[in-house]
Amino acid sequence: MRVFVAGGSGVLGRRLVPLLVARGHQVTASTTSAAKVGLLEQLGAEAVVMDGLDAVSVGEAVAKARPDAIVHQMTAISVAHAGKPDMKHMDRWFAGTNRLRTEGTDHLLAAAEATGVTGFVAQSYGAWNGIRTGGWVKTEQDPVDPMTGTPAEPGMKAIGHVEDVVVKAGGAVLRYGWFYGPGATDDLVEPVRKRQFPVVGSGAGHCSWVHLDDAASATVLAVEQRARGVFNIVDDEPAPAGEWLPYLAGCAGAKRPMRVPAWLARPLAGDVAVTMMTEGRGFSNAKAKRELGWQLRYSSWRQGFKEELA
């Protein structure tokens, strides 16, 4: 197939493009930076510089590529705050990404319609943000938590927009868990090594992880099978923060994380971080395994963290 990967130079795009090429697909991949054209070409793609927030730029790039399928992996996470995670000001940290998930998605869908592209796969997020009622693990039937009144609310609205418009257009939405793997693990490990990432309160909040290579393999399956609907792309073991965080610290050769009460963490780390660590809900991957035939290389973050940090 001819596949257009919007956001091909991101952490997932860099694993996805060579995988698509290896499976015999012809890939055109976009980047916002002319400096990354060479990287995309090395990965085996035809590279195009495109501004995902500019309808004309998107329309021209897609029309020229004449793809059979479009994969939407555009984010602006790495450029915000000099690439440093900022849960406390998530609205600012994700501002660019939220626009790409709303305006950018609309531009790509319009370009798909204009050029007769029928396959569409888009990135969403499902790590700790499942709806906070009932059990700890959520399926695709469960909505994401709207996080009303917190700095995460605009991000959850943007995710809701992606899921709504892409599913209505007959495409697939992949709710990826928390990424780790090449290019994604350092941001996580650095604060753990500096003991700046404590277990908050009970540490009972659950989170779902996915290795970048597993996220990429699921994406290829969704493209090839012209999947429709929402899929949770996470590993087999949603786990509480009180379990995965000390384990991660051990793998990274760091001291055991401190424990901080929620009332103390709230003014320092913000509401979103406290919610994630104490009340977060993880996700089930049963549907993706059943319907896509997805097999994970890293079925648990335990194996993955150990290998990444060996």
Side-chain angles (χ1 to χ4, degrees), residues 11 22 42 49 51 57-58 62 86 92 103 105 123 145 149 155 166 191 196 234 246 256 279:
V11 287
Q42 278 170 7
V49 177
D51 178 357
S57 176
V58 174
V62 172
D86 187 359
R92 297 200 298 238
E103 296 163 51
T105 303
Q123 175 181 137
D145 192 324
V166 172
Q196 293 167 347
V234 296
R256 201 171 169 79
E279 297 179 67

Side-chain angles (χ1 to χ4, degrees), residues 291-307:
E291 293 190 15
L292 300 176
W294 183 42
Q295 293 178 318
L296 288 96
R297 184 173 154 201
Y298 300 94
S299 60
S300 167
W301 46 270
R302 292 174 197 276
Q303 165 205 4
F305 288 175
K306 198 177 270 184
E307 277 190 35

Side-chain angles (χ1 to χ4, degrees), residues 58-90:
V58 174
E60 285 175 355
V62 172
K64 191 175 173 216
R66 300 190 354 270
D68 303 301
I70 291 173
V71 184
H72 176 5
Q73 297 290 354
M74 298 187 296
T75 65
I77 299 166
S78 61
V79 294
H81 288 267
K84 296 287 176 232
D86 187 359
M87 296 286 280
K88 191 174 183 182
H89 306 107
M90 213 165 170

Side-chain angles (χ1 to χ4, degrees), residues 86-169:
D86 187 359
M87 296 286 280
K88 191 174 183 182
H89 306 107
M90 213 165 170
D91 47 347
R92 297 200 298 238
W93 179 29
F94 270 81
T97 296
N98 292 342
R99 284 190 69 197
L100 287 165
R101 284 182 172 156
T102 49
E103 296 163 51
T105 303
D106 292 348
H107 295 332
L108 280 170
L109 283 170
E113 199 177 350
T115 47
V117 179
T118 50
F120 200 98
V121 177
Q123 175 181 137
S124 183
Y125 183 71
W128 47 268
N129 54 320
I131 195 83
R132 282 177 290 148
T133 52
W136 292 108
V137 182
K138 301 297 164 194
T139 71
E140 289 81 358
Q141 301 301 309
D142 297 298
V144 294
D145 192 324
M147 299 296 292
T148 311
T150 74
E153 185 179 0
M156 298 307 138
K157 272 192 177 146
I159 285 169
H161 178 80
V162 173
E163 297 194 355
D164 184 42
V165 296
V166 172
V167 171
K168 275 185 183 148

Side-chain angles (χ1 to χ4, degrees), residues 25-281:
H25 303 297
Q26 222 177 310
V27 181
T28 300
S30 81
T31 174
T32 52
S33 161
K36 289 184 179 164
V37 164
L39 164 74
L40 290 174
E41 288 172 346
Q42 278 170 7
L43 297 176
E46 192 170 312
V48 58
V49 177
M50 180 184 89
D51 178 357
L53 296 175
D54 179 336
V56 175
S57 176
V58 174
E60 285 175 355
V62 172
K64 191 175 173 216
R66 300 190 354 270
D68 303 301
I70 291 173
V71 184
H72 176 5
Q73 297 290 354
M74 298 187 296
T75 65
I77 299 166
S78 61
V79 294
H81 288 267
K84 296 287 176 232
D86 187 359
M87 296 286 280
K88 191 174 183 182
H89 306 107
M90 213 165 170
D91 47 347
R92 297 200 298 238
W93 179 29
F94 270 81
T97 296
N98 292 342
R99 284 190 69 197
L100 287 165
R101 284 182 172 156
T102 49
E103 296 163 51
T105 303
D106 292 348
H107 295 332
L108 280 170
L109 283 170
E113 199 177 350
T115 47
V117 179
T118 50
F120 200 98
V121 177
Q123 175 181 137
S124 183
Y125 183 71
W128 47 268
N129 54 320
I131 195 83
R132 282 177 290 148
T133 52
W136 292 108
V137 182
K138 301 297 164 194
T139 71
E140 289 81 358
Q141 301 301 309
D142 297 298
V144 294
D145 192 324
M147 299 296 292
T148 311
T150 74
E153 185 179 0
M156 298 307 138
K157 272 192 177 146
I159 285 169
H161 178 80
V162 173
E163 297 194 355
D164 184 42
V165 296
V166 172
V167 171
K168 275 185 183 148
V173 175
L174 307 184
R175 283 181 186 164
Y176 298 115
W178 196 338
F179 286 152
Y180 70 96
T185 306
D186 294 348
D187 280 349
L188 190 65
V189 170
E190 200 183 325
V192 171
R193 286 196 173 124
K194 292 178 179 166
R195 297 197 91 195
Q196 293 167 347
F197 199 149
V199 175
V200 174
S202 63
H206 277 54
C207 179
S208 284
W209 296 87
V210 68
H211 190 284
L212 286 164
D213 287 342
D214 284 326
S217 72
T219 309
V220 171
L221 291 172
V223 169
E224 291 179 346
Q225 295 175 29
R226 296 191 172 274
R228 301 166 77 112
V230 178
F231 296 86
N232 297 333
I233 304 302
V234 296
D235 74 13
D236 292 346
E237 197 182 352
E243 214 170 295
W244 65 256
L245 187 50
Y247 184 88
L248 175 66
C251 291
K255 286 183 180 168
R256 201 171 169 79
M258 291 183 277
R259 271 195 180 263
V260 175
W263 63 265
L264 184 60
R266 195 164 268 112
L268 297 169
D271 287 338
V272 181
V274 172
T275 297
M276 176 186 94
M277 298 288 264
T278 58
E279 297 179 67
R281 299 297 199 265

